[in-house]
Each structure stands twice: as structure tokens, then as C-alpha cells.
Amino acid sequence: MNIKPINKWIPNLKRPLVIAGPCSAETEEQMLATAKAVREIEDVRIFRAGIWKPRTRPNSFEGVGEKGLAWLKTVKEETGLLVTTEVANAGHVELALKNDIDILWIGARTTVNPFSVQEIADALKGTNIPVMVKNPINADLALWIGALERLNLAGIDKLVAIHRGFSSAEKTEYRNVPHWRIPIELKRRLPELPIVCDPSHITGDRHRIALVCQKAMDVDMDGVMVETHPTPDEAWSDAAQQVTPTMLAEITKSLKLKTEFSHDRSFETELSELRQQIDRIDSELMESLRMRFNIVERIGDLKMKNHVTALQVHRMDEMINKVKALAENMGLRGQFANELYHVIHEESVKIQAEMMRSFLKEQEKKN
Ligand code: PEP
Ligand code: MN
């Protein structure tokens, strides 16, 4: 992909780039009050506000619509901030362009749909307006990259990725699970693409935003998008995850910036940073194991219904050989992978055997 470095189109940009503003535009007064307050925060360069809101259920507030574009224009004129809003179809794009919106963003519910993304890309041909692409709702990196590619093929080279976490069927501590390895892999594949983290939609909870902002800096992201409202509790959408401008100022002030290539770090800082990375990877490993064992349980269920034994030796050999080869390809010791997978497999068999035992007990009780 041909991506223009972000400091070529946002002058005097410093890290972190902070994007602030309400989840939704509500009134012109709310917009201006928020914008004037966040402009005082040095790192804030872009003002966000949704005017067409994709809501999970009908009959909730679906945005003020077109009139909000005029309010964004006023914000831009009165504060000098760049302004951005979400577009989900060609009609939105046309109106946003007509009203001189500086930057567009594509929401998570739109990124999942190649038809919609293509419609937006087609509507943008010949403009080269910057576009920020939120990750799709589901944890699918290819779909995220695909959306960026569609825009790039339409001639958009001012691109930003926004990491807003991924929806999960399981109950988790996050509103949208971050799965940090996905944006990290995106950065590995497209190192020139700026990535901004959206801790509001990740946490769903204003009290946990600071922590996720710091984590975003620790994994070398370029900035954060934080939903900001003068009176968050009264917000018409996403109330729990918006902060006041004062809170945002505190969060940005507290961020410790770490750059990937700094050489003059003291031993302690470097060590603690490495340990944080290890902790992060460990928590991802545990998350992956949890997901693996969930599937093991589903297989156990299937086996029971079909009267098949928990331990199937040929499957175990096949799996361990596969993992061993995979590990060796990645420069890990095959013997290590072998031992690790014996332990994991043993646990899987235990889980399924336990399921079988309680199933039989239930049956006995019934008879
Ligand atoms: C938003 O930014 O308010 C929004 C709707 O986000 P997402 O597309 O990430 O859900
Ligand atoms: Mn929102």
C-alpha cells in the first residue's frame, strides 16, 4: 500500500496524537463547549463527533444528522481543530465533503461489510481526503486490511487505523476485547500506517480509559481517540465511556511515552518495560488457552453425543507433530513444543473425561 506519513498531512504533529470530542453531536453549544475546552490540551489536534450513529437497537438516539455538519464547521472555524465524523454510505460522504469536513472515519460496523466500504471508496475517488478506519467488530485482521486497501486503491493515501477492540460472545471485563496482538500484527505488516487506539469503546468505562491509553503508548501506537463530553453522564449515547475535558487533560498529562528506538533508557525503565510486554503476552497466552479449552469442551460434547472416547491417540500424534513442525519453523525447539503440548493435551483429555463422568452421573440419576 502507498501510505503518506501522517506528519506530512498534520503539521507539527507530536506523539501522541489525541482525537477528542463527544460520541455524538447533540447541540451546537455542547459541541463548541467541548471543542473549546479540549483545544487547550496540547496534544488534541482533531475534534470528533458522530452525527449518524449506528445503534445496536432501534428507537435509540440515531444522531442529529446533516445539521451536525454545520456545527462541525463552526468548531473548525472557531477553534482551528481538524474535524472528523463517521460516514457509512455514499450519501454521508457526499454531505461531509460538501461541508468541508477534514477527515472521515469508517465505523466498526461498516468495516465488516466490503460492499459498504467499496461504496464509500468509490464515493471518495478523486478527493484524497484523510480516512480513519476502525477495526471490524470481529477479530479479523484481513477484513481490516481489506478495507484499508479498498480506500487506498481508490486513491486515498492519508490513512489511519483505529483500534477500538473486538466484540466477544463471552462476558469479559471489556466492552470490546482489545486483542492487542491484532493491531500489533497490523503494524508489523504495514509499519507506515498510523494506529490510534480508542480506549472509550474498548473499555466502555471512563475509569479504565487512562490505563488503556498507557497500554496503547507502550505498544508504540501513534495516538488515542477519547470520547469527551462536558457532562458525560448526561450524554445521549455511550455515557459511561466519555470523560470530561478536565479528565482528558489529566490522562494525557499522565501518559508515559516510550519510543521503540530510544537508546538512553535507564536499566530499570527498560527492564520494567520488557516485563510489561511479557505480562501482556502472558495474558494473551492465557486468553488463547481459555479459547482453546472452550473448543475442547465443545468437542467433548460432540464426542459424548456420538459415544466416542475422550482420548484418540492418532489425533494427538497428528496435532503434536503439526505443532512441533510449526514451532521449529519459528525457531523454537521442537522438543519444547512437544513437551508443552503433551501438558496441554493432557489437560484437554482431563476436561473431556470429567465432562463424560458428570454426564454419566446425570444419566444414572435419571434412570
Ligand atoms: C463511535 O466512535 O462513536 C462509534 C460508533 O464507534 P465504533 O464504530 O467503534 O463502534
Ligand atoms: Mn461512541
Side-chain angles (χ1 to χ4, degrees), residues 22-24 48 53-55 86 105 109 134 175 198 200-201 227 237-239 241-242:
C23 175
S24 301
R48 64 149 281 156
K53 299 303 297 179
R55 303 309 299 276
E86 173 173 352
W105 95 73
R109 291 164 191 76
K134 289 205 170 193
R175 179 177 180 199
D198 172 347
S200 293
H201 289 88
E227 287 187 335
S237 59
D238 288 350
Q241 65 186 39
Q242 304 204 51

Side-chain angles (χ1 to χ4, degrees), residues 26-27 31 51-52 63-72 99:
E26 295 165 7
T27 63
M31 297 262 277
I51 61 172
W52 297 289
V64 294
E66 198 177 338
K67 67 173 181 246
L69 292 171
W71 303 343
L72 276 169
N99 284 275

